[in-house]
C-alpha cells in the first residue's frame, strides 16, 4: 500500500506524526512532506509492518488529508 497526503488540506496538526513513523514534523512544526514543494505527497510502498500505524494516522488526521491507496 501507499498513502497520499493532500497538502492543500493538511493543517499541520501533527497527529499523524504521533501515530506513524512515516510522518514527521519539521522543527518549525510543519509536516515534513511540504519540503518537496508540491500540493500532494505520495509515499513509496509502505511495509506491512507499518500499515496499521499509517491507517491509524489517516484515522487520526482531523481534516482527513491522508488517503490510503492499496
Ligand atoms: S494529522 Fe493531518 S492535518 Fe495534521 S499534519 Fe498530519 S496530515 Fe496534516
Amino acid at each position: 500500500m501507499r498513502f497520499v497526503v493532500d497538502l492543500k488540506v493538511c493543517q499541520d496538526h501533527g497527529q499523524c506524526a504521533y501515530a506513524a513513523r512515516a510522518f514527521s514534523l519539521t522543527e518549525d512544526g510543519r509536516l515534513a512532506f511540504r519540503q518537496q514543494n508540491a500540493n500532494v505527497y505520495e509515499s513509496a510502498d509502505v511495509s506491512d509492518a507499518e500499515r496499521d500505524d499509517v491507517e491509524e494516522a489517516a484515522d487520526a488526521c482531523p481534516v482527513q488529508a491522508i488517503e490510503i491507496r492499496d
Side-chain angles (χ1 to χ4, degrees):
M1 62 90 94
R2 294 172 179 240
F3 66 88
V4 172
V5 182
D6 186 337
L7 298 172
K8 299 188 303 303
V9 173
C10 167
Q11 295 177 358
D12 301 297
H13 291 292
Q15 283 91 330
C16 54
Y18 292 104
R21 286 187 312 168
F23 298 82
S24 62
L25 299 179
T26 59
E27 282 184 9
D28 59 355
R30 308 202 76 203
L31 190 63
F33 302 144
R34 290 192 186 283
Q35 293 175 336
Q36 299 184 6
N37 224 2
N39 287 330
V40 173
Y41 170 81
E42 183 165 353
S43 77
D45 273 334
V46 172
S47 69
D48 286 346
E50 278 188 290
R51 183 186 178 104
D52 285 352
D53 286 350
V54 171
E55 287 179 347
E56 196 175 312
D59 287 344
C61 177
V63 293
Q64 278 126 36
I66 303 167
E67 182 187 329
I68 306 289
R69 295 203 176 150
D70 285 307

